[in-house]
Amino acid sequence: MTSNLFSRRRAERFAQLLDEANGGRRHHVRSRADDHLAALVAVGRQLNADPPPVAVDPDFRTGLRAMLVAAAEREGVGAGASAPEATPAARRGALGQRGTVGAGPRGPFLPAVTARRARARGAILIGVTAGAIAVSGISAASENAVPGDALYGMKRSTERAQLALASSDLSRGQLFLDFARTRLGEAAALRGDRLGFDAVLDDMDSDTRQGVRLLTTTAAQRSDPAGLDSVNAFVTGQRRAVGDLLDGASRAERDRVRESIALLDAIRKRSDGLRAAIECKLPAPAGSDALGPTPTACPGDR
């Protein structure tokens, strides 16, 4: 845990450094983690002084609030101080000792160690909040990044976070198809860069396969073609847009683009086959491949 950037101790120190950077009270301590955290603190200061001209996405705001509420409940931040039942000896000792469990003019007070833990938990929550807000600004600024740009890694990390927060395979499948559309836009910006162009199309095809597999599997398991509707709509729009990359492309680029077009054609064929199997009430296919379940033909089609 000591090597983890966001371990409990480092998160607390990160919160202190952010507080100091924004004019808060200096804590007069020095941590070995300070050098590692300096870059993040600098980002926090820059975002505070010159915030990106973007609005926080409502879904992100809702997700952040839910995350913070869950963290607060888990860590006990904000919970009322309820003193445990003390023995008579402990109560007698509490009368003369402040900092132990007892009753005072303002009611029960917490042991010193509990108070320190509460402050630490609060600092951690502050650090998480500040970090999440900073990340939201950076991720919004990274939306138009392409491979080779400084913020491209943040863009891909944001996509992975979206997948982690998705509530179902259907949602994750649709997200993968959205990412495939994003990769297509990046490919258009990288024409002329053979290695970058091919790499982005490889990522696009990978996102396409993963999204289609999730959607076709969900459709087969539920005997519901709704996921296939999403697949077909994606294929129709994506095939047209991928075909646009052929215009003015080099021979090597055209060969690579045709591979992606062939994949989309195979996906449409698979989707149509699954739809027919669902309509004739065949059981969910037992076999599968990179595109999901492999359907058998309806009895009348054999």
Side-chain angles (χ1 to χ4, degrees):
M1 290 297 292
T2 57
S3 63
N4 187 344
L5 180 63
F6 290 105
S7 65
R8 182 181 297 271
R9 185 172 299 174
R10 292 193 180 195
E12 179 180 357
R13 182 57 181 153
F14 180 46
Q16 291 175 347
L17 292 173
L18 281 175
D19 186 41
E20 292 176 5
N22 291 313
R25 177 180 64 85
R26 293 192 60 81
H27 294 80
H28 302 291
V29 295
R30 175 76 181 171
S31 167
R32 288 181 298 178
D34 287 5
D35 292 338
H36 297 286
L37 296 172
L40 291 176
V41 174
V43 171
R45 291 187 63 181
Q46 182 178 354
L47 289 171
N48 186 61
D50 186 21
V54 295
V56 177
D57 184 79
D59 291 339
F60 172 83
R61 190 188 300 275
T62 301
L64 175 60
R65 182 182 184 281
M67 179 187 70
L68 294 176
V69 169
E73 292 176 350
R74 183 176 61 253
E75 297 291 345
V77 178
S82 56
E85 185 66 26
T87 64
R91 285 196 294 270
R92 286 195 300 271
L95 292 174
Q97 296 183 14
R98 189 172 184 83
T100 59
V101 176
R106 297 182 181 178
F109 49 86
L110 293 171
V113 65
T114 304
R116 286 197 299 272
R117 287 175 179 171
R119 288 196 298 272
R121 288 168 177 169
I124 291 169
L125 203 56
I126 291 170
V128 170
T129 305
I133 292 173
V135 167
S136 71
I138 296 173
S139 70
S142 70
E143 287 181 356
N144 296 321
V146 297
D149 291 349
L151 291 178
Y152 189 69
M154 174 59 70
K155 180 179 183 178
R156 299 303 295 266
S157 295
T158 301
E159 293 176 354
R160 289 192 290 272
Q162 289 178 269
L163 289 170
L165 292 172
S167 59
S168 66
D169 283 348
L170 188 62
S171 298
R172 278 185 286 274
Q174 291 169 340
L175 278 172
F176 271 118
L177 297 188
D178 286 341
F179 300 157
R181 294 184 182 98
T182 300
R183 302 288 87 79
L184 177 59
E186 295 166 2
L190 289 173
R191 291 175 62 168
D193 176 358
R194 173 69 188 281
L195 293 178
F197 183 80
D198 287 357
V200 169
L201 288 184
D202 288 344
D203 287 346
M204 180 187 75
D205 290 349
S206 176
D207 288 338
T208 297
R209 291 188 188 93
Q210 292 185 75
V212 167
R213 182 180 177 86
L214 287 168
L215 292 172
T216 55
T217 299
T218 299
Q221 290 174 344
R222 299 179 181 178
S223 295
D224 181 357
L228 303 179
D229 293 339
S230 296
V231 169
N232 289 355
F234 167 79
V235 169
T236 299
Q238 190 81 344
R239 195 185 190 288
R240 184 184 310 114
V242 171
D244 290 342
L245 293 177
L246 294 171
D247 296 337
S250 67
R251 179 176 179 179
E253 288 175 341
R254 286 198 300 271
D255 289 342
R256 180 59 191 83
V257 168
R258 290 190 181 102
E259 292 179 19
S260 295
I261 292 175
L263 172 63
L264 294 170
D265 290 342
I267 290 170
R268 182 56 189 257
K269 183 177 180 180
R270 175 64 55 84
S271 176
D272 291 345
L274 282 170
R275 187 181 298 274
I278 291 173
E279 289 176 351
C280 64
K281 303 187 184 305
L282 289 177
S288 66
D289 58 16
L291 301 182
T294 52
T296 54
C298 294
D301 297 333
R302 293 173 181 171

